[in-house]
Amino acid sequence: MKDKAVIGIIGCGMIARDVHLQNAFSNPRIHVKWCCDILEERLKYVKEEFNPEHITSDYREILIDSEINGVMILTTHNIREKIIRDAAEAEKHIYVEKPMSTSVEESYRIMRIVRETGIKFVVGFNRRCAPAIEDAVKIYVKHKNKPVEAPWRFKRNKDTHQPLREEEATMIMMRINDDLMTFKPYALDEMIGEGSIIGELCHFVDLACYITGKEPIKVYAEGWARVNQVLTLQFEDQSIANIFETGVGSFDHPKELIEIYHKGASIAVDYYLQLRVGGIKDFYKKNYPFWYDPYQYITEGEGTNLFINKVRERNRIIIEKGFAQYPAVDKGHYRMLDRFVDCILLNKPSPCNELDGARATLITLKARESVRLGLPVKISKDEYDYYFA
Ligand SMILES: NC(=O)c1ccc[n+]([C@@H]2O[C@H](COP(=O)([O-])OP(=O)(O)OC[C@H]3O[C@@H](n4cnc5c(N)ncnc54)[C@H](O)[C@@H]3O)[C@@H](O)[C@H]2O)c1
């Protein structure tokens, strides 16, 4: 067995520079042989910072290299389908940034080429692999499979309680506090980035489906497709996920909060820095390290309080010097890429495959439809699981 996956990176823009290049070049099981971008200055940056064996502005050069096992496709989503097709036809495994697609027709064509060629295909819904989320999901699934009541739970009608159907449901709440001033123009442009309902909320609808492990059956959304929206996603077992996204918030506060409730347990992931659990014996709280922390000397507080203190320091420096970085949390990019390596080297299943990608696209498209109609919209599996090889 080979001990390294040989990969090429196609698209060296913001997300590549923020996370993937660093992750790929520092992963001991990856050899990054090629980097590709159509912009000269991006290639110059990659050459200076990472010095890959080869750089190119034509991704097809990567695809004809027989040593290459897989590619990371990190271009914007409006121009990815052809690259996916070409890479799959060249029998290269694929890690593609989210969203996988922006229409059901595109999902169908991607699903078809992936299944016909039999390549491994990973959609970058990286939050599934965030360490805090992985722990939260493990705790949730264990509790769901065998609910154990906390011995301290207050029960008013202990002996006379009649079980309710709703008691079987899982309730999920996700809050995304974003600042639209930080959005790139393409993200807001409906013809390119499709607005945050398609381009960004795909992460969270995927996560909700992943956590519940149930089929989504209905979505109702209020707000605007571009930014500022509240989605209510209902599942086949009466579980509900409520996803609140705002672009009029501030990064002075943590961006994401994810809460899962089930059978007397509450499990909260507070911006991937702290996991808090209530209603389950022997587990109360766990803190997670920052992914990138330029303010290690700020140590007061824990979890998101510590984050806020570090951001205050960042803000102080900005006012003084004009530039300072945000501390970054672990949203699972590294682990997701590592799972891609498992797919390549160990023939493991994808941590998030083309069906997951197609489902997220369908749900967000329906959410946009719901925003525009002002009505809930039904979802059914045959609308995204439609390709039979
Ligand atoms: N998972 C996450 O956390 C996360 C965060 C941000 C963005 N994203 C996703 O990543 C994708 C890229 O976003 P971005 O902000 O990095 O965009 P970007 O525009 O900064 O980068 C895309 C890069 O692709 C290059 N490119 C375009 N066509 C190419 C081609 N034919 N061959 C090679 N390179 C080509 C561009 O020149 C550019 O450098 C988007 O789909 C976005 O949704 C994911």
Side-chain angles (χ1 to χ4, degrees):
M1 189 198 71
K2 281 177 32 175
D3 60 350
K4 275 187 196 269
V6 184
I7 69 160
I9 295 180
I10 303 173
C12 299
M14 185 193 74
I15 191 63
R17 288 166 71 148
D18 280 1
V19 289
H20 292 305
L21 285 163
Q22 184 63 37
N23 288 346
F25 277 93
S26 65
N27 189 315
R29 298 194 300 152
I30 293 179
H31 170 52
V32 184
K33 188 170 176 188
W34 288 85
C35 286
C36 168
D37 202 289
I38 49 172
L39 297 179
E40 193 60 40
E41 85 254 16
R42 302 269 155 100
L43 288 178
K44 188 167 170 282
Y45 167 84
V46 172
K47 182 87 190 143
E48 282 169 9
E49 293 291 319
F50 299 98
N51 196 22
E53 245 175 86
H54 302 284
I55 52 171
T56 177
S57 57
D58 183 351
Y59 69 85
R60 290 171 301 182
E61 275 202 83
I62 305 176
L63 303 185
I64 55 173
D65 182 338
S66 59
E67 211 196 347
I68 288 286
N69 309 122
V71 289
M72 297 182 77
I73 303 177
L74 311 178
T75 65
T76 44
H77 29 287
N78 56 322
I79 49 164
R80 279 202 299 250
E81 187 189 343
K82 177 159 172 29
I83 308 177
I84 291 174
R85 171 168 293 281
D86 290 348
E89 281 172 352
E91 296 178 353
K92 307 299 182 194
H93 303 299
I94 295 173
Y95 180 116
V96 67
E97 256 305 341
K98 60 78 198 170
M100 178 189 91
S101 49
T102 54
S103 71
V104 286
E105 295 77 12
E106 192 185 9
S107 294
Y108 174 83
R109 292 191 297 267
I110 291 173
M111 193 178 270
R112 184 168 185 146
I113 191 75
V114 166
R115 292 185 177 178
E116 278 175 358
T117 54
I119 56 147
K120 299 279 184 180
F121 189 79
V122 175
V123 183
F125 287 134
N126 46 276
R127 281 161 178 78
R128 287 177 175 221
C129 296
I133 293 285
E134 288 197 337
D135 286 346
V137 171
K138 257 185 228 143
I139 290 167
Y140 162 68
V141 169
K142 188 172 169 214
H143 182 67
K144 191 174 177 189
N145 291 341
K146 198 174 172 219
V148 179
E149 204 149 70
W152 55 79
R153 189 177 187 187
F154 172 67
K155 293 169 81 178
R156 189 173 303 281
N157 304 316
K158 204 171 176 181
D159 304 320
T160 55
H161 174 71
Q162 298 288 323
L164 309 172
R165 189 187 60 167
E166 301 90 294
E167 277 176 68
E168 300 305 314
T170 299
M171 299 295 288
I172 298 176
M173 198 280 301
M174 299 182 179
R175 181 263 286 146
I176 305 117
N177 156 41
D178 226 324
D179 179 352
L180 62 82
M181 290 297 176
T182 68
F183 284 18
K184 293 170 96 176
Y186 84 76
L188 295 172
D189 184 326
E190 200 163 318
M191 293 303 130
I192 305 174
E194 305 271 343
S196 67
I197 212 163
I198 310 267
E200 184 66 11
L201 288 202
C202 54
H203 267 309
F204 302 94
V205 300
D206 172 72
L207 193 56
C209 295
Y210 175 65
I211 292 169
T212 61
K214 296 290 174 191
E215 278 303 306
I217 56 164
K218 194 164 55 173
V219 63
Y220 177 56
E222 277 289 356
W224 291 264
R226 204 156 42 200
V227 80
N228 282 356
Q229 58 252 168
V230 183
L231 265 63
T232 304
L233 185 59
Q234 189 170 3
F235 292 87
E236 58 186 338
D237 66 341
Q238 305 295 321
S239 294
I240 294 173
N242 188 256
I243 304 171
F244 171 99
E245 188 263 3
T246 177
V248 293
S250 161
F251 287 161
D252 282 1
H253 281 171
K255 183 167 172 258
E256 296 165 26
L257 171 70
I258 291 156
E259 297 182 341
I260 309 166
Y261 301 92
H262 184 76
K263 287 253 166 129
S266 53
I267 303 166
V269 174
D270 205 350
Y271 203 27
Y272 314 101
L273 288 170
Q274 191 172 66
L275 169 63
R276 295 186 294 270
V277 176
I280 293 180
K281 208 164 157 260
D282 301 328
F283 197 105
Y284 166 58
K285 186 174 69 178
K286 182 174 171 185
N287 290 322
Y288 296 82
F290 284 82
W291 181 245
Y292 169 70
D293 181 7
Y295 313 106
Q296 290 183 20
Y297 52 95
I298 303 287
T299 54
E300 193 197 322
E302 62 168 9
T304 48
N305 284 328
L306 178 59
F307 174 83
I308 287 168
N309 290 336
K310 287 177 190 283
V311 171
R312 285 180 66 191
E313 174 68 353
R314 176 247 174 212
N315 297 350
R316 188 189 66 74
I317 297 173
I318 289 263
I319 288 169
E320 206 178 286
K321 299 189 176 156
F323 178 78
Q325 300 269 25
Y326 276 104
V329 300
D330 190 347
K331 295 183 189 163
H333 296 95
Y334 186 90
R335 279 198 190 173
M336 193 106 193
L337 179 57
D338 209 49
R339 304 267 152 81
F340 179 50
V341 178
D342 287 341
C343 293
I344 295 174
L345 296 181
L346 307 173
N347 195 25
K348 288 212 175 163
S350 168
C352 185
N353 64 21
E354 67 285 356
L355 190 62
D356 300 313
R359 180 179 59 194
T361 296
L362 181 80
I363 296 170
T364 53
L365 287 168
K366 296 229 170 191
R368 184 166 71 185
E369 196 184 332
S370 174
V371 161
R372 303 227 156 115
L373 287 171
L375 295 169
V377 180
K378 268 180 68 179
I379 302 164
S380 61
K381 195 171 180 192
D382 61 350
E383 292 177 282
Y384 68 91
D385 187 8
Y386 29 53
Y387 177 65
F388 297 91

